[in-house]
Amino acid sequence: MGDEAAQWLTDFLAMSVDANQTSLPRTYRPRTYRLVRFDPAHRRASSLDWTGGVQALNLFSDGYPLLVLSEASLAELNERLVAAGHDSVSIERFRPNIVLSGLHAHDEDRLSVMRVEAGADEVLLKTGQAQPALPHPQC
């Protein structure tokens, strides 16, 4: 069933229809896709050093259940990439859950608390760290 499902997904995603002219033929873009999932019995937890001792489970995220990125940080990265002769990257490359505006580049690394107003409710997001986040060694 895995190969059959993968072929169906590949065929489905590889087809595109011009939204304005649905009578146009579908065109094929060669690429292979597979359906994936995590075993429900597998528990993948973030490092307790980074969560302040609170168990934070995650699955498809890159290691933490919440990823925050600022528009200014992305703009600064793209300036450096273009200056080095590379193409700029879109924010989708980082798959953030929350995108902040109105900050200086990398200010999101120094936030200790974010307050999210949601109607009558309020959510506080604490980073659990007193020190600024350090970039990943491969960055």
Side-chain angles (χ1 to χ4, degrees):
M1 183 64 165
D3 290 339
E4 184 178 331
Q7 187 60 55
W8 177 88
L9 183 65
T10 298
D11 292 345
F12 180 79
L13 294 177
M15 301 295 194
S16 67
V17 175
D18 184 325
N20 297 321
Q21 298 182 14
T22 56
S23 63
L24 290 177
R26 293 174 178 241
T27 57
Y28 183 76
R29 290 187 221 133
R31 191 174 251 188
T32 302
Y33 299 95
R34 293 204 62 88
L35 296 170
V36 296
R37 72 175 182 93
F38 275 88
D39 182 346
H42 177 73
R43 297 177 57 86
R44 183 172 176 234
S46 300
S47 169
L48 295 176
D49 293 338
W50 286 91
T51 63
V54 175
Q55 185 179 31
L57 300 177
N58 59 81
L59 294 176
F60 285 101
S61 56
D62 291 324
Y64 302 96
L66 190 65
L67 177 59
V68 179
L69 183 64
S70 73
E71 292 173 341
S73 294
L74 179 64
E76 192 268 341
L77 170 64
N78 279 327
E79 286 174 14
R80 289 189 292 137
L81 287 170
V82 170
H86 302 287
D87 292 336
S88 61
V89 295
S90 70
I91 202 156
E92 289 83 7
R93 177 152 186 182
F94 300 97
R95 302 180 320 211
N97 304 92
I98 297 177
V99 178
L100 302 175
S101 62
L103 300 175
H104 291 96
H106 310 291
D107 276 355
E108 67 272 26
D109 295 338
R110 292 176 280 285
L111 296 175
S112 60
V113 174
M114 286 191 306
R115 177 172 283 130
V116 178
E117 294 183 14
D121 299 320
E122 181 176 85
V123 178
L124 293 179
L125 303 172
K126 297 182 182 182
T127 64
Q129 64 187 45
Q131 300 294 320
L134 298 175
H136 191 277
Q138 294 179 352
C139 293

